[in-house]
């Protein structure tokens, strides 16, 4: 057991680990000062969901002692595109798989979970990596877990307070990206798309804009996640959309670079 519950033994430290099929990244936090202390990304290449997690993660746990230090709180963040948001009024915990079957292939053997976003009257239903959770149970005993998109959408809703204009946010990952459209702290649209080329990327953005009657000459597009101004994804968006920019992370008072803050936006807000 690596978590401490006794007040006397409290370390005021938190560990957040974000996992995907490409690897993991982690951050440690000082919970007294409410700030991150370390940030590390570990790439493993694109692996199968059936890969033996013990082999993939063993080297990371040997190389980075932070993963085996003592913490009061540990959270595992699952990053995949197997999720969907459901309004609380339409939500029934007994039928989690039914919500996901509209946008992803589900099986009877799948394990479903959900995160509540009570301030916004909705839930995020998703399929976590069960084999990864089992591995972390062996390592830590107990921990909390969430889906990356729960954190992403909640934080984007928070920063959109008092903004009457509809704004599109695109969060870029290695093989997929999320589109989030928000107006005055109301979620207008959330969707996730797989992509291979920059042309795939701009096609889905323009298609979504068309469906929502957003004019590429006037609506604002903000990009975050794994993206730089020099990337082909940014350049093609800039060619087709007048008001495009990288998401402003200047409010995040941390020692990491702006690129790191954008790429690890979810992890650093966990």
């Amino acid at each position: 057991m690596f978590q401490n519950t006794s007040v006397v033994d409290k370390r005021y430290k938190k560990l957040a680990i974000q996992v995907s099929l490409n690897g993991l990244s982690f951050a440690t936090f000082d919970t007294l000062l409410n700030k991150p202390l370390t940030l590390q990304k570990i790439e493993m290449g694109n692996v199968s969901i059936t890969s033996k997690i013990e082999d993939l993660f063993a080297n990371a746990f040997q190389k980075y002692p932070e993963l085996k230090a003592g913490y009061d709180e540990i959270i595992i963040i699952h990053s995949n595109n197997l999720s969907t948001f459901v309004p609380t009024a339409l939500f029934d915990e007994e039928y989690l798989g039914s919500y996901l079957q509209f946008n992803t292939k589900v099986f009877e053997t799948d394990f479903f979970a959900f995160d509540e976003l009570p301030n916004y009257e909705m839930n995020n239903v998703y399929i976590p990596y069960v084999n990864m959770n089992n591995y972390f149970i062996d390592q830590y005993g107990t921990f909390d877990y969430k889906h990356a998109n729960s954190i992403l959408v909640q934080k984007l809703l928070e920063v959109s307070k008092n903004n009457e204009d509809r704004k599109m946010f695109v969060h870029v990952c290695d093989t997929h990206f999320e589109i989030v459209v928000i107006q005055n702290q109301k979620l207008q649209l959330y969707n996730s798309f797989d992509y291979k080329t920059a042309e795939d990327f701009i096609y889905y953005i323009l298609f979504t804009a068309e469906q929502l009657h957003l004019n590429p000459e006037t609506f604002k597009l903000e990009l975050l996640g794994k993206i730089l101004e020099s990337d082909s994804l940014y350049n093609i968006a800039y060619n087709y959309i007048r008001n495009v920019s990288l998401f402003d992370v200047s409010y995040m008072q941390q020692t990491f670079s702006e690129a790191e803050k954008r790429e690890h936006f979810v992890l650093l807000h966990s």
Side-chain angles (χ1 to χ4, degrees):
M1 295 287 290
F2 287 77
Q3 297 188 72
N4 299 302
T5 55
S6 167
V7 174
V8 176
D9 296 330
K10 209 161 176 61
R11 300 170 185 263
Y12 301 100
K13 296 288 177 66
K14 169 184 168 182
L15 171 67
I17 304 176
Q18 186 168 347
V19 294
S20 72
L21 293 182
N22 300 99
L24 65 86
S25 53
F26 69 86
T28 61
F29 298 82
D30 183 317
T31 56
L32 271 181
L33 300 177
N34 193 28
K35 72 173 187 178
L37 301 172
T38 62
L39 176 64
Q40 185 66 49
K41 180 179 180 180
I42 306 166
E43 292 184 346
M44 300 177 185
N46 195 21
V47 299
S48 165
I49 196 169
T50 59
S51 298
K52 196 172 182 181
I53 299 304
E54 291 86 345
D55 295 338
L56 295 172
F57 288 174
N59 289 337
F61 272 77
Q62 290 177 0
K63 185 175 181 180
Y64 299 98
E66 299 97 325
L67 290 170
K68 295 189 289 185
Y71 297 96
D72 305 313
E73 181 183 353
I74 296 172
I75 181 168
I76 306 300
I77 304 162
H78 294 264
S79 181
N80 59 34
N81 57 354
L82 308 175
S83 71
T84 190
F85 287 88
V86 181
T88 302
L90 302 176
F91 180 75
D92 188 330
E93 191 174 344
E94 298 296 318
Y95 299 98
L96 298 182
S98 300
Y99 303 115
L100 279 170
Q101 69 183 2
F102 293 107
N103 60 4
T104 190
K105 191 172 184 178
V106 299
F107 301 92
E108 289 185 4
T109 54
D110 284 334
F111 176 79
F112 304 103
F114 69 95
D115 297 329
E116 294 184 71
L117 283 74
N119 292 341
Y120 303 102
E121 298 183 344
M122 60 183 175
N123 298 278
N124 183 19
V125 181
Y126 62 97
I127 301 175
Y129 297 119
V130 175
N131 55 342
M132 295 188 187
N133 270 355
N134 290 338
Y135 176 81
F136 290 120
I137 287 173
D138 292 338
Q139 298 297 318
Y140 300 121
T142 59
F143 55 85
D144 294 322
Y145 67 90
K146 279 187 176 183
H147 195 276
N149 293 335
S150 302
I151 300 169
L152 172 69
V153 170
Q154 180 164 322
K155 192 61 192 179
L156 292 178
L157 285 165
E158 288 175 8
V159 301
S160 299
K161 187 177 182 180
N162 300 324
N163 191 334
E164 295 293 338
D165 297 325
R166 276 198 296 178
K167 185 182 291 186
M168 180 185 291
F169 301 92
V170 173
H171 180 261
V172 181
C173 301
D174 286 310
T175 59
H176 63 92
F177 62 92
E178 285 74 46
I179 295 181
V180 181
V181 180
I182 292 173
Q183 183 176 23
N184 197 20
Q185 288 195 297
K186 298 291 185 182
L187 182 64
Q188 303 283 309
L189 177 139
Y190 160 85
N191 209 342
S192 183
F193 301 91
D194 292 328
Y195 76 98
K196 292 183 179 179
T197 66
E199 288 73 23
D200 296 338
F201 180 73
I202 194 62
Y203 170 81
Y204 289 122
I205 291 175
L206 292 175
F207 176 78
T208 300
E210 181 183 18
Q211 299 304 305
L212 295 179
H213 306 291
L214 292 169
N215 187 343
E217 290 292 319
T218 56
F219 85 88
K220 293 181 180 179
L221 170 64
E222 295 190 13
L223 305 172
L224 69 160
K226 192 176 180 180
I227 189 165
L228 302 170
E229 280 191 349
S230 57
D231 291 347
S232 60
L233 299 184
Y234 184 93
N235 290 331
I236 200 167
Y238 187 83
N239 288 337
Y240 285 90
I241 298 167
R242 180 177 294 273
N243 297 304
V244 59
S245 62
L246 294 178
F247 181 82
D248 183 9
V249 291
S250 60
Y251 74 92
M252 297 170 66
Q253 300 297 318
Q254 299 158 359
T255 58
F256 310 118
S257 69
E258 289 200 353
E260 288 175 316
K261 292 176 186 177
R262 286 192 194 93
E263 180 174 357
H264 301 287
F265 181 82
V266 168
L267 184 62
L268 294 171
H269 283 96
S270 61

